[in-house]
Amino acid sequence: AGKLAMELLNEKRLRMYAFFLTLREHEDGERIAFRMHHDGEIDVRATYCILTPCHLLGLLDKEEEKTHLLSPSIAHYIASCQTFEGGFGAEPFNEAHGGYTFCALAALRILGFVSIINVEMLRSWLVRRQMEFEGGFCGRTNKLVDGCYSFWQGGAVAVLDGWYNENNATGEKIGTANEEGLSFDEVMLQRYILLCAQDVNGGLRDKPSKPKDFYHSCYNLSGLSVAQHALSSSWPPTLSDASNDETSLNNLFGDSSYNILARSDPVLNIRADRVKYATKQF
């Protein structure tokens, strides 16, 4: 099945690229945004959802002059969505929101333009979304904790910390042996996910008293993987470091003999070994 899927993707990849280009919208002549679909809304989700498959399918060749999806104008549109708080809204002048912030930051990481935004304001906004008592994250200022933001906010911190480690001119790193780990408290986040977001009958949820569902199960688990493994490799990962290396773990909560998840790529939110497999094909 994997071989057949890759053959299909290889056959369709250029047509997908052509379709993605039809969703471009020029804003003010100097910024390029994307629609979610024809006649659909324009926001940073669309940019991220286009760049991610293009990255996996080898359609973002930085040595190819005609790679339209690497235009600085795309990065400038994303940067215009950063708010006075430091996070990102769906489009310019919207409220900062965890989901859109992740999409904006991850898209900039793929493009290689994280440096054009106010990184310190973003870090400040992100880490302040972790709730002091619960340990989980909220999605916006003055909102309640929600398990899905374990990934949207926690993953964004992991992406930002990874970029900082690779680009900080002083050589100072986050998450080294002499540091405490990620910029947020990863042990508190793991505790919230395992003890509060996890339903005793299986599945995960927003918070206690809420029903479990597939959406919150997905993003709680994604956040748990980030809290356990982030910063254990560079990005984009090389073929040699894209394995699940359980010797490179963050600070852990609970019994590591049975609650460790496979390592995921924090930018793409896909298991690292699956990213390795895809990138080898294209």
Side-chain angles (χ1 to χ4, degrees):
K3 182 179 179 181
L4 290 174
M6 287 300 163
E7 290 176 353
L8 178 63
L9 287 171
N10 192 48
E11 177 187 341
K12 303 291 186 182
R13 59 197 286 271
L14 293 181
R15 277 183 273 180
M16 290 173 59
Y17 181 80
F19 167 69
F20 291 152
L21 292 181
T22 68
L23 300 174
R24 288 185 300 175
E25 292 288 338
H26 290 266
E27 302 275 322
D28 300 332
E30 298 181 355
R31 297 176 296 166
I32 295 177
F34 291 88
R35 292 188 181 276
M36 292 296 294
H37 53 84
H38 290 152
D39 298 321
E41 62 271 39
I42 298 172
D43 61 51
V44 294
R45 291 176 305 165
T47 303
Y48 174 71
C49 289
I50 286 172
L51 291 175
T52 297
C54 285
H55 172 76
L56 288 169
L57 295 174
L59 294 170
L60 299 178
D61 186 353
K62 295 184 179 181
E63 297 180 358
E64 173 59 59
E65 293 180 0
K66 296 182 179 179
T67 305
H68 302 287
L69 295 180
L70 287 176
S71 169
S73 298
I74 298 173
H76 289 308
Y77 174 78
I78 298 172
S80 72
C81 298
Q82 188 171 25
T83 76
F84 70 94
E85 289 186 280
F88 288 80
E91 53 188 334
F93 310 113
N94 279 195
E95 180 184 10
H97 181 282
Y100 295 112
T101 295
F102 173 83
C103 290
L105 178 59
L108 289 171
R109 186 73 162 116
I110 293 171
L111 291 168
F113 280 95
V114 175
S115 61
I116 70 172
I117 62 173
N118 190 323
V119 171
E120 291 308 313
M121 280 185 62
L122 173 58
R123 186 192 306 282
S124 176
W125 183 81
L126 283 169
V127 298
R128 283 171 171 76
R129 301 286 72 75
Q130 186 170 28
M131 310 298 282
E132 182 178 4
F133 178 73
E134 298 94 331
F137 284 94
C138 65
R140 290 177 286 161
T141 302
N142 294 326
K143 293 293 183 177
L144 299 176
V145 66
D146 185 333
C148 71
Y149 294 109
S150 300
F151 177 74
W152 296 127
Q153 306 284 33
V157 173
V159 172
L160 192 62
D161 284 355
W163 174 86
Y164 180 86
N165 282 352
E166 293 176 27
N167 293 274
N168 180 30
T170 67
E172 177 187 2
K173 291 185 179 294
I174 297 171
T176 64
N178 296 322
E179 298 288 341
E180 295 182 354
L182 290 158
S183 292
F184 68 85
D185 189 330
E186 66 264 38
V187 174
M188 286 289 287
L189 178 62
Q190 293 172 62
R191 188 186 74 163
Y192 178 79
I193 295 169
L194 293 170
L195 300 186
C196 299
Q198 187 171 204
D199 190 292
V200 294
N201 296 310
L204 293 101
R205 57 198 175 189
D206 168 347
K207 60 177 67 69
S209 80
K210 295 287 186 178
K212 59 191 177 184
D213 57 64
F214 290 115
Y215 173 83
H216 285 89
S217 294
C218 172
Y219 289 107
N220 270 297
L221 291 174
S222 298
L224 182 59
S225 177
V226 163
Q228 292 174 343
H229 296 279
L231 303 183
S232 58
S233 66
S234 60
W235 199 92
T238 62
L239 296 182
S240 62
D241 66 10
S243 60
N244 292 310
D245 181 7
E246 294 195 3
T247 64
S248 299
L249 294 169
N250 295 339
N251 298 316
L252 299 175
F253 174 82
D255 189 341
S256 61
S257 65
Y258 62 82
N259 69 3
I260 302 299
L261 301 183
R263 180 158 60 90
S264 62
D265 183 310
V267 176
L268 307 175
N269 194 26
I270 301 172
R271 275 181 51 164
D273 56 342
R274 303 298 192 266
V275 175
K276 173 183 176 181
Y277 179 75
T279 52
K280 283 177 63 178
Q281 309 305 310
F282 304 104

